[in-house]
Amino acid sequence: MKKWVFILFFLSFFSNANAQDESAVEISFDFGFTGLNGAENIGLLFNLEPRLKFTNNTAMGLRFGVTANSLAYRNADTLQFHINEISGNGVISIIPTFEYYFNEKDFHPFAGLGLGPYLLASFLDVTEYYTPENPTTLHEVHVKDQWGVLLRGGMQSQKIRLTFECNWVTAGDIILPNGKKAGSVQPSYYALSAGFAIRGK
């Protein structure tokens, strides 16, 4: 509940500031790839982010991010458990951000950071193996959402935006209904993206 109050407060703040100075508003659309986190498949991402510039060098935004195949799984015991969700997973992130622009040239470098919730795949299928005398059991396991930190940097012109980002997210435990820990979900990922920005008039 706290994370939604946090997000609604930020949206309200952004809306009020937007009404005061529409020319300071910018919306970016970024597409890219995720990797270097141990996931078995190449991940994809899409980020949508409205931003409000307070000065020529600073801005605040709210990033809505979606990834596909970006999660990595750690099995606690491969002889006892099998985690079936290897592909088709993803993360939804809603991150308030702050950016700093190092100069005011047409193509300028920037750095940014953010903190917020990362919503993981809601359910996983986990097979639990028993002794030869007992059958296996298929569990549907819910993995709790996690909080994470975003660090990023890149280059941006009036319309083009290139970004490298690091998303450090706490791991989510895979707990079976009987209380056993089958492993963990590793939501952290690196991403490289390119996109474009639209500014208000």
Side-chain angles (χ1 to χ4, degrees), residues 14 16-28 49-61 99 101 156 197-201:
F14 189 88
N16 292 334
N18 181 15
Q20 296 177 4
D21 188 0
E22 185 178 352
S23 63
V25 174
E26 175 182 272
I27 300 177
S28 64
E49 182 176 348
R51 278 186 298 277
L52 180 67
K53 296 193 71 174
F54 288 94
T55 69
N56 290 335
N57 298 97
T58 59
M60 291 185 66
E99 280 194 349
Y101 307 99
Q156 180 173 338
I198 301 175
R199 292 187 177 181
K201 302 298 183 180

Side-chain angles (χ1 to χ4, degrees), residues 81-95:
F81 307 109
H82 175 69
I83 302 172
N84 301 330
E85 302 294 333
I86 300 302
S87 62
N89 59 66
V91 178
I92 298 174
S93 56
I94 308 171
I95 311 296

Side-chain angles (χ1 to χ4, degrees), residues 17 20 65 72 79 86 106 143 154-155:
Q20 296 177 4
L79 296 178
I86 300 302
D106 292 338
V143 180
M155 300 288 291

